[in-house]
Amino acid sequence: MTSTDIPRLSVRSPGDLIAAVPYLLGFHPADSVVVVAMRGKRVTFAARSDLSDLAGPVDAGRPAAGAGGPVEPARHVAAVVARQLADRATVLGYGTASRVTPAVDAVCAALAEAGIPVLDALRVTDGRYWSYLCDEPECCPPDGRPYDARASEITAAAVFAGQVALPDRDALVAQVAPVEGTERTGLRLATERALRRRADLVDAAPAADLLGGRALRAASRAAIRVALRRYRRSERIDDDEVAWLSLLLTDLTVRDHAWERTDGRDADIALWTDVLRRAEPEFIAAPGALLAFAAWRAGHGALAAVALERVLTVHPDYSLALLLDDLLRRGVPPSRLDGWPAVRLSGLARRRGKGRRGTR
C-alpha cells in the first residue's frame, strides 16, 4: 500500500493512468490488481495486491471463494482505500482475463460496499487495455485499446521529476538483498572485530559504569552521528563502521536514538539501505526497520514493504518491524504520525518515569 507523494501529473485518459501507475508504486506491476484512489481531482493513494491473493487457486486451509476466498482480501483493500478518505477509485488488473476478471470483480464489489464509486475498471496486458465498465466499441473495442507508456507525457514528466519505476517487484527486492561474495566475507570478519571491540569497551569501563553502559551509549551516539553525517554528504561508512553500528543497534535504546533522527530524506534511506544490505543476518532487524520507517515517511511504501519482508523473514518477532508492517497493511498515511517517533518516545519516557526504571 503506497501513499503517493509525487509531483502532480495530469491524467486525462486511461492510457495516462496506466503510464502513471509504475511511478505511483515504484515498479511496473505484473499479475496484480492496483487500486488508484482519488480525492477530488488528485490521486492520493495506490494499493497493489497479487492476483494470487485475490483470485488464485484456493490454498490448503484457506476458505473457498463463496466462504471468503477472494472476498476477504478484496474487502481489506477496500477498507485501506476508504481509510485514505478517497471519494473515487479506478481498479486496474494486470494479467490474463481468466485470472484478472474475478479479482477485479471482487475488488470493485468491495469498493462499492465501502461506498467508494469506481470510475473505471481496466485489464492491462501486452500493451493493450480493456474496460470492464464500457462496452462502446468506438472507445473500448473488443480487442482492446493499444497504449504506449513510453510515449506518454506522464512518463516524461515523472522521469523529469526524478521518479523511478523499476522493471518489476523483484528489482525492488534486489535493492535490499544482502551483499555476497568477497564483500560478505569482509563483513563477517568486520563483525568479529566489532564483537571484540564491544567486549574490550565493556572490560575497560570503570566500576561505576555498570556493564559499560555509559561507554556503549557514548560510542553508539558517535557511530550514529558519523553515519548520518556521512550519508548526508553522499559518502559511505566502511565495513568496520557498518559492523559496529549494526551491533550497537541491537540495544533498543540505541535503536530508538537512531529512530528519532531518521526521517524520509534520501540520505536516511541510503544509509539504512546500505546497512541492511551489508549487516550480518542476526543484526539486520534494526537497520531494516529504520529503512522501512524512512521509506514510509517518504511515501515509498513498496520499498518499506520489501525491507520489512526481509527483516520479518529472519526476525519474525521484532516489534518495530511488526508495528510498521501493520501501519503499511492498514494504509496509514505518514502524515497521520507527524512528529513520530519523538512523540511516542517522549510519552514512553514519561510512562517509564511513573513506573519502574529501566522497564520496557
Side-chain angles (χ1 to χ4, degrees):
M1 311 296 176
T2 304
S3 296
T4 62
D5 188 24
I6 65 173
R8 295 180 182 228
L9 303 175
S10 298
V11 176
R12 299 186 178 89
S13 68
D16 283 345
L17 184 60
I18 293 167
V21 163
Y23 298 96
L24 300 178
L25 298 177
F27 61 92
H28 290 266
D31 296 321
S32 306
V33 170
V34 176
V35 179
V36 178
M38 298 180 67
R39 186 159 56 243
K41 295 183 178 181
R42 187 176 184 189
V43 171
T44 59
F45 189 77
R48 188 201 69 88
S49 294
D50 291 333
L51 284 179
S52 57
D53 292 338
L54 291 162
V58 176
D59 294 334
R62 192 173 74 178
V71 175
E72 292 308 320
R75 283 177 176 159
H76 171 71
V77 172
V80 168
V81 173
R83 196 170 289 118
Q84 313 309 309
L85 304 179
D87 53 30
R88 65 195 73 184
T90 296
V91 181
L92 303 94
Y94 294 79
T96 61
S98 61
R99 297 191 65 209
V100 166
T101 301
V104 168
D105 286 347
V107 171
C108 286
L111 288 168
E113 187 178 296
I116 301 172
V118 176
L119 295 177
D120 206 347
L122 307 173
R123 182 171 73 87
V124 183
T125 188
D126 296 332
R128 290 180 174 270
Y129 67 86
W130 291 258
S131 172
Y132 288 100
L133 303 186
C134 175
D135 56 6
E136 295 293 333
E138 294 79 11
C139 64
C140 301
D143 59 348
R145 180 173 288 279
Y147 73 94
D148 184 358
R150 294 170 301 181
S152 170
E153 292 182 4
I154 295 291
T155 301
V159 171
F160 181 77
Q163 300 299 309
V164 175
L166 297 172
D168 51 34
R169 193 173 187 274
D170 287 345
L172 191 64
V173 171
Q175 289 193 341
V176 300
V179 301
E180 300 293 352
T182 56
E183 190 172 2
R184 175 54 56 200
T185 301
L187 286 157
R188 288 195 190 101
L189 295 173
T191 300
E192 292 174 7
R193 291 192 292 271
L195 289 166
R196 291 195 296 269
R197 178 180 176 185
R198 182 176 65 177
D200 291 343
L201 189 63
V202 172
D203 289 343
D209 185 5
L210 186 63
L211 299 177
R214 286 199 297 271
L216 285 170
R217 284 193 295 274
S220 299
R221 291 189 175 93
I224 292 166
R225 184 169 58 251
V226 167
L228 290 169
R229 184 186 304 131
R230 199 81 60 79
Y231 284 79
R232 287 167 188 172
R233 294 174 178 172
S234 298
E235 300 170 356
R236 293 179 81 202
I237 55 178
D238 63 27
D239 287 358
D240 282 305
E241 290 169 313
V242 166
W244 182 234
L245 179 58
S246 63
L247 174 60
L248 293 171
L249 286 168
T250 58
D251 184 315
L252 295 181
T253 59
V254 175
R255 191 276 317 273
D256 286 351
H257 183 78
W259 188 13
E260 286 187 279
R261 286 151 183 79
T262 295
D263 205 340
R265 285 169 285 197
D266 290 346
D268 294 356
I269 293 173
L271 164 61
W272 299 122
T273 298
D274 200 23
V275 178
L276 172 60
R277 298 195 67 210
R278 295 164 68 193
E280 287 292 277
E282 60 266 40
F283 302 126
I284 67 168
L290 292 169
L291 168 58
F293 179 75
W296 175 66
R297 291 291 296 175
H300 303 314
L303 176 59
V306 296
L308 291 172
E309 283 178 12
R310 178 143 186 251
V311 169
L312 292 171
T313 297
V314 182
H315 303 278
D317 299 322
Y318 193 67
S319 59
L320 179 56
L322 290 170
L323 170 65
L324 293 170
D325 186 61
D326 181 60
L327 292 175
L328 254 66
R329 290 181 184 278
R330 292 192 292 116
V332 176
S335 59
R336 296 274 183 90
L337 282 88
D338 284 343
W340 224 57
V343 172
R344 174 254 184 203
L345 293 175
S346 63
L348 180 60
R350 286 194 298 272
R351 290 195 298 275
R352 280 180 179 169
K354 295 177 181 178
R356 292 180 299 170
R357 290 185 179 273
T359 60
R360 187 172 188 85

